[in-house]
């Protein structure tokens, strides 16, 4: 009689569905594209803050890529999921054959697809502005994926434990705080040293530093960045699995 | 092969703080039939149904759905059970057809979404965002989502609340057709005519307990006695009337100006009622000899005061 669709098909379908909804949502597009691209243009062309390098675009681009991951995998996802939960959409989906892991995989797949498009767009635009990244793209991609896991799980943790309005406010606030404290728009060395040390423990900072080491300097990713991201990703996944509420 | 009941609930208890939402409730929904759960607001219908759907867990008691545990065997049940929630459950930004197609894609052999949209009169709003659908259209979309996976068992929590007469009829026809195909259906409702018309079994729930259960005919049959219903001015002294009648009868003013008289109905009784009224200058209107309706049974079982 009635049987579930194969898991891979369910996950693909969920990802497509999530993507369509995200692309239709003006606020999400703003977060995912307009803000990162605006920031790329602004910071690379205008001396807003002294970033202590002559080749501005090489400094700015990894930061903006990091921001793109942050906005898509954390802020957008948390807000959208918070409202899905509030409207009972997640609860209803819980009665279909799509397992929870399938829903999460679908969301993650949609996020990674958006990120790939963001990287292509931001990277292309930056290249047109004179960006010449160094090699080691696999390391950059691995960093971005690891950071995505951390952000997705933290975003879901917020959306799955707090009221939708609180998630909306909290995710936007954290977006701003992380934007300013993760070395995305200016070097962290400009912060007071206590704040700087604390900021280095943030996942967004680890992603920014790692991307910059690879793409700006052509160095290996510092071990510290891997460690910070792995710890956040592990903690996030465990906490989300433990506390996420579907209704 | 003895058929496993579609749903078996035994001594279910569910408390919220000090409130016993479900208080030792037992019911059986036989396979291949329509079971209607009736009860006033707050009786515990949704709570019971959601325990069966695996959304909530009871504090005690046992629940079997298609012979399985709704929570432990949730994965195995998910493709065999269709669910329509009392409220919500849709993505507000999704288009109606997009959402239905997505849900359909989660099953191996779904009903064609277009067929359901057409069937439930939704094709004109298929590309409308869910949040812009009217309440009744959202309700119909939720029904389509519940049946699109060809479930063996369907839980419908107030499927026709807020529907216009045409949509109600379309829903009834769909339910009857699914039942004819062997689908087991458990629905909750406040509409007595719905239960009377659709259900093979009616379970009346009040304050978290079953107060009556049986087929609509069993519930409305009142021994060999008949029933007289008539309308007249409100506030007649029914006890006086009862004393004036020779046969043993009970009389109740079930709604202002509507009287219900149970007893051995014969021509003599009818004549006595009308002449007693005539003697007081009261005009009897709309006098009918009839069966008790499910609504009469419901009100006499659950009382008439409003529930909180
Ligand atoms: N999550 C909850 N938390 C606290 N109390 C609850 C919760 N869910 C239900 N209740 C209480 O349990 C009782 C039964 O609620 P339930 O929703 O099962 O009633 P119902 O029969 O479906 O009513 P209706 O006909 O209005 O839909 C009510 O008194 C309700 O206030
Ligand atoms: Mg209810």
């Amino acid at each position: 009689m009635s049987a579930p669709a194969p898991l891979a098909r369910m996950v693909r379908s969920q990802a497509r569905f999530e993507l369509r909804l995200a692309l239709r949502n003006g606020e999400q597009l703003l977060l995912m594209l307009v803000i990162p691209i605006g920031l790329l243009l602004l910071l690379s062309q205008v001396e807003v803050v002294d970033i202590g390098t002559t080749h501005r675009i090489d400094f700015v681009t990894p930061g903006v890529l990091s921001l793109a991951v942050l906005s898509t995998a954390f802020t957008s996802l948390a807000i959208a999921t918070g409202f899905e939960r509030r409207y009972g959409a997640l609860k209803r989906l819980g009665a279909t054959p799509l397992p929870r892991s399938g829903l999460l995989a679908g969301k993650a797949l949609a996020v990674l697809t958006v990120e790939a498009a963001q990287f292509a767009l931001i990277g292309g635009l930056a290249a047109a502005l004179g960006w010449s990244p160094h090699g080691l793209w696999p390391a950059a991609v691995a960093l971005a994926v690891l950071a995505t896991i951390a952000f997705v799980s933290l975003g879901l943790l917020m959306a799955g434990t707090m009221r939708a309005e609180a998630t909306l406010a909290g995710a936007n606030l954290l977006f701003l705080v992380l934007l300013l404290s993760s070395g995305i728009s200016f070097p962290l060395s400009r912060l007071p040293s206590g704040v700087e040390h604390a900021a280095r423990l943030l996942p967004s900072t680890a992603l920014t530093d790692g991307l910059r080491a690879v793409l700006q300097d052509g160095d290996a990713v510092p071990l510290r960045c891997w460690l910070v991201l792995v710890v956040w990703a592990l903690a996030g996944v465990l906490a989300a699995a433990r506390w996420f509420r579907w209704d | 092969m003895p058929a496993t009941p579609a749903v078996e609930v035994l001594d279910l208890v569910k408390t919220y703080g000090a409130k016993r939402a479900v208080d030792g409730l037992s019911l059986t929904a036989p396979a291949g039939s329509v079971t209607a759960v009736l009860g006033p607001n707050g009786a515990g219908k949704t709570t019971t149904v959601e325990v069966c759907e695996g959304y909530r867990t009871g504090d005690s008691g046992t629940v079997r759905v298609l012979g399985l545990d709704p929570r432990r065997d949730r994965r195995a049940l998910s493709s065999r059970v269709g669910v329509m929630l009392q409220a919500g459950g849709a993505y507000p930004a999704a288009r109606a057809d997009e959402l239905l197609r997505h849900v359909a894609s989660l099953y191996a052999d779904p009903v064609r979404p277009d067929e359901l949209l057409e069937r439930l009169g939704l094709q004109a709003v298929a590309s409308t965002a869910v949040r812009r659908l009217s309440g009744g259209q959202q309700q119909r979309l939720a029904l389509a989502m519940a049946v699109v996976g060809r479930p063996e068992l369907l839980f419908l929590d107030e499927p026709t609340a807020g529907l216009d007469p045409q949509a109600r009829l379309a829903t009834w026809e769909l339910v009857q057709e699914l039942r004819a195909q062997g689908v087991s259906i458990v629905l909750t409702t406040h509409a007595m005519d719905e239960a009377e018309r659709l259900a093979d079994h009616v379970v009346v729930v009040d304050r978290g307990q079953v107060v009556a259960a049986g087929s609509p005919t069993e519930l409305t049959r009142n021994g060999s006695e008949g029933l007289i219903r008539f309308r007249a001015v409100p506030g007649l002294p029914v006890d006086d009337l009862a004393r004036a009648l020779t046969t043993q009868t009970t009389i109740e003013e079930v709604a202002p100006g509507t009287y219900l008289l149970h007893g051995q109905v014969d021509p003599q009784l009818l004549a006595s009622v009308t002449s007693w009224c005539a003697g007081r200058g009261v005009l009897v209107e709309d006098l009918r000899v009839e069966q008790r309706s499910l609504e009469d049974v419901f009100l006499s079982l659950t009382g008439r005061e409003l529930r909180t």
Side-chain angles (χ1 to χ4, degrees):
Chain A
M1 228 182 165
S2 35
L7 183 62
R9 194 172 101 199
M10 292 198 268
V11 170
R12 269 201 311 277
S13 178
Q14 184 66 32
R16 262 201 308 273
F17 182 66
E18 301 266 350
L19 262 179
R20 272 202 303 270
L21 292 186
L23 295 180
R24 203 175 294 152
N25 182 317
E27 291 135 57
Q28 288 202 49
L29 280 180
L30 183 77
L31 270 171
M32 295 184 310
L33 287 178
V34 180
I35 291 180
I37 287 177
L39 217 59
L40 177 73
L41 292 175
L42 181 77
L43 294 177
S44 63
Q45 303 305 304
V46 188
E47 169 106 34
V48 185
V49 272
D50 176 19
I51 55 173
T53 167
T54 46
H55 224 93
R56 304 182 62 86
I57 191 78
D58 287 352
F59 173 84
V60 168
T61 308
V64 170
L65 291 176
S66 171
L67 172 77
V69 173
L70 173 67
S71 61
T72 303
F74 177 71
T75 315
S76 276
L77 180 83
I79 294 171
T81 308
F83 282 97
E84 287 164 11
R85 175 164 162 259
R86 140 84 93 62
Y87 291 121
L90 294 184
K91 175 178 178 180
R92 175 63 188 79
L93 218 51
T96 69
L98 180 73
R100 291 168 177 206
S101 56
L103 174 68
L104 299 190
K107 282 187 178 290
L109 195 60
V111 164
L112 288 171
T113 309
V114 171
E115 286 175 358
Q118 287 175 307
F119 272 45
L121 240 114
I122 293 166
L125 193 62
L129 294 171
W131 181 46
S132 54
H134 292 83
L136 289 174
W137 275 100
V141 169
L143 275 175
V145 171
L146 193 57
T148 298
I149 296 174
F151 285 138
V152 165
S153 58
L154 294 171
L156 291 178
L157 181 65
M158 257 183 111
T161 51
M162 296 164 42
R163 286 189 312 116
E165 290 78 8
T167 300
L168 176 70
N172 277 320
L173 187 71
L174 272 175
F175 178 74
L176 273 182
V177 170
L178 293 179
L179 172 65
L180 294 175
S181 61
S182 307
I184 288 174
S185 43
F186 59 87
L188 278 186
S189 52
R190 298 173 56 86
L191 292 173
S193 90
V195 179
E196 179 191 338
H197 286 303
R200 298 245 182 243
L201 299 176
L202 295 171
S204 43
T205 311
L207 175 62
T208 313
D209 285 356
L211 286 178
R212 225 164 247 155
V214 173
L215 301 174
Q216 185 180 7
D217 308 327
D219 292 342
V221 177
L223 185 64
R224 175 182 57 82
C225 297
W226 290 122
L227 269 178
V228 168
L229 284 176
V230 166
V231 169
W232 277 103
L234 263 178
V237 168
L238 290 177
R242 173 82 180 73
W243 284 297
F244 188 89
R245 284 193 49 89
W246 300 75
D247 53 1
Chain B
M1 188 188 83
T4 324
V7 177
E8 244 183 324
V9 176
L10 200 67
D11 268 332
L12 180 66
V13 174
K14 175 78 184 173
T15 53
Y16 292 107
K19 164 107 201 156
R20 287 172 91 81
V22 178
D23 192 7
L25 184 147
S26 302
L27 65 83
T28 302
S33 59
V34 177
T35 303
V37 181
L38 277 175
N41 290 142
K45 303 181 295 295
T46 297
T47 306
T48 304
V49 167
E50 292 207 348
V51 169
C52 297
E53 291 163 346
Y55 283 123
R56 316 187 195 185
T57 34
D59 302 337
S60 64
T62 48
V63 177
R64 300 259 114 194
V65 172
L66 299 175
L68 300 174
D69 181 308
R71 208 139 171 119
R72 221 188 38 240
D73 305 316
R74 195 151 191 204
R75 301 249 16 85
L77 284 170
S78 65
S79 65
R80 302 172 62 193
V81 175
V83 165
M84 177 177 175
L85 301 174
Q86 181 168 3
Y91 286 75
R95 296 176 352 203
D97 62 342
E98 181 176 57
L99 182 55
L100 184 59
R101 271 176 235 290
H102 174 50
V103 173
S105 77
L106 304 174
Y107 298 87
D109 177 31
V111 181
R112 279 197 319 107
D114 290 320
E115 195 178 308
L116 275 174
L117 289 173
E118 152 131 37
R119 177 90 209 245
L120 292 168
L122 290 169
Q123 70 279 56
V125 290
S127 54
T128 303
V130 168
R131 82 171 94 80
R132 285 193 239 288
L133 296 180
S134 77
Q137 289 164 343
Q138 295 195 10
Q139 194 84 339
R140 281 179 268 161
L141 178 62
L143 177 64
M145 286 162 62
V147 304
V148 75
R150 298 187 199 278
E152 293 164 48
L153 167 62
L154 199 50
F155 288 107
L156 307 174
D157 199 352
E158 301 199 19
T160 57
L163 292 190
D164 64 29
Q166 289 82 358
R168 214 154 91 102
L169 202 61
T171 302
W172 287 357
E173 282 169 6
L174 184 60
V175 167
Q176 276 161 339
E177 188 181 309
L178 290 167
R179 177 185 175 278
Q181 290 165 11
V183 178
S184 313
I185 295 153
V186 175
L187 59 86
T188 70
T189 183
H190 297 282
M192 306 300 151
D193 56 334
E194 180 162 294
E196 224 153 3
R197 169 136 174 205
L198 280 185
D200 303 295
H201 309 276
V202 174
V203 179
V204 184
V205 175
D206 192 21
R207 298 194 170 87
Q209 295 177 327
V210 173
V211 291
S215 70
T217 357
E218 278 163 5
L219 286 178
T220 51
R221 191 170 48 218
N222 190 15
S224 62
E225 294 184 335
L227 184 141
I228 298 171
R229 180 195 296 268
F230 66 93
R231 294 200 300 119
V233 288
L236 287 178
V238 289
D239 293 338
D240 288 1
L241 173 55
R243 275 192 294 276
L245 302 173
T246 46
T247 45
Q248 186 64 41
T249 50
T250 60
I251 309 172
E252 237 189 317
E253 186 171 0
V254 291
T258 299
Y259 299 87
L260 219 54
L261 193 150
H262 303 266
Q264 199 65 51
V265 178
D266 52 27
Q268 181 57 49
L269 182 65
L270 278 179
S272 312
V273 171
T274 42
S275 70
W276 181 84
C277 289
R280 302 176 157 251
V282 170
L283 178 66
V284 175
E285 290 174 79
D286 205 8
L287 182 137
R288 281 180 287 166
V289 177
E290 58 180 39
Q291 272 251 305
R292 289 206 301 171
S293 73
L294 206 48
E295 183 147 1
D296 301 326
V297 178
F298 182 81
L299 287 174
S300 79
L301 284 169
T302 59
R304 87 200 20 268
E305 83 275 23
L306 269 181
R307 294 306 150 85
T308 46

